[in-house]
Amino acid sequence: MKERKKGGIIQVSSIHGHLAMPTFIEYCSTKAFQLNFSESLHSELKPFGIDTLVVAPGATISERIDEGMTAEFVVKSTLGALGKKASIVPGFRNWFWMFCWRHFATRNRMIKLCARMISSSPMEGDGSFLNSRKSDV
């Protein structure tokens, strides 16, 4: 790509990369790294004609997930943004909530709200960092 001075790289992150959520520590952390890595890569590769984009979709309908955006919508949004932006959050509702979380809520408030959401979830405790490592604590 560098020799041709043309190319594109798309990475798929998650809206969870914008959040700090108890019981999703590893997932949110790796998606946050991917988001930051990809946005930085965008700036470094742009002078070489290489477009990079990281997409952070919310729930997307699949074999495991029954509700959310269609994969076709995510793909269309992603390809439409390649070469124009460093990152996107497809879907107005997802974009709006991520915008509000990042710009109107303090980090501490966001962590407390996410913790409250998780604690009221029927899956409370499943997959938490400490629960998965009880023998290590």
Side-chain angles (χ1 to χ4, degrees):
M1 285 189 267
K2 190 174 176 183
E3 289 175 4
R4 290 190 319 244
K5 297 185 189 316
K6 182 179 179 182
I9 300 170
I10 297 172
Q11 292 198 43
V12 180
S13 182
S14 169
I15 59 172
H16 287 88
H18 295 273
L19 305 171
M21 294 184 72
T23 74
F24 288 92
I25 295 170
E26 293 95 342
Y27 186 75
C28 292
S29 298
T30 57
K31 294 302 179 177
F33 168 81
Q34 187 178 32
L35 184 66
N36 287 296
F37 176 81
S38 298
E39 287 178 336
S40 298
L41 196 61
H42 174 81
S43 298
E44 288 191 23
L45 297 180
K46 196 72 168 167
F48 301 105
I50 302 170
D51 295 319
T52 61
L53 175 71
V54 59
V55 57
T60 305
I61 298 170
S62 67
E63 293 175 6
R64 295 180 355 177
I65 300 172
D66 296 332
E67 56 186 56
M69 299 176 288
T70 64
E72 292 79 11
F73 176 79
V74 174
V75 169
K76 186 176 179 180
S77 300
T78 301
L79 294 177
L82 183 62
K84 299 174 187 163
K85 299 179 177 188
S87 63
I88 63 164
V89 176
F92 178 78
R93 185 176 65 183
N94 291 329
W95 173 86
F96 177 78
W97 281 111
M98 289 306 100
F99 179 86
C100 289
W101 282 82
R102 290 186 68 117
H103 297 286
F104 299 129
T106 65
R107 295 282 299 165
N108 286 333
R109 176 117 175 99
M110 181 178 69
I111 293 166
K112 288 176 186 175
L113 287 170
C114 287
R116 193 174 312 142
M117 286 173 22
I118 294 300
S119 68
S120 64
S121 167
M123 293 177 59
E124 178 183 356
D126 291 350
S128 81
F129 185 75
L130 290 177
N131 284 344
S132 65
R133 291 167 181 77
K134 284 184 179 175
S135 62
D136 297 339
V137 178

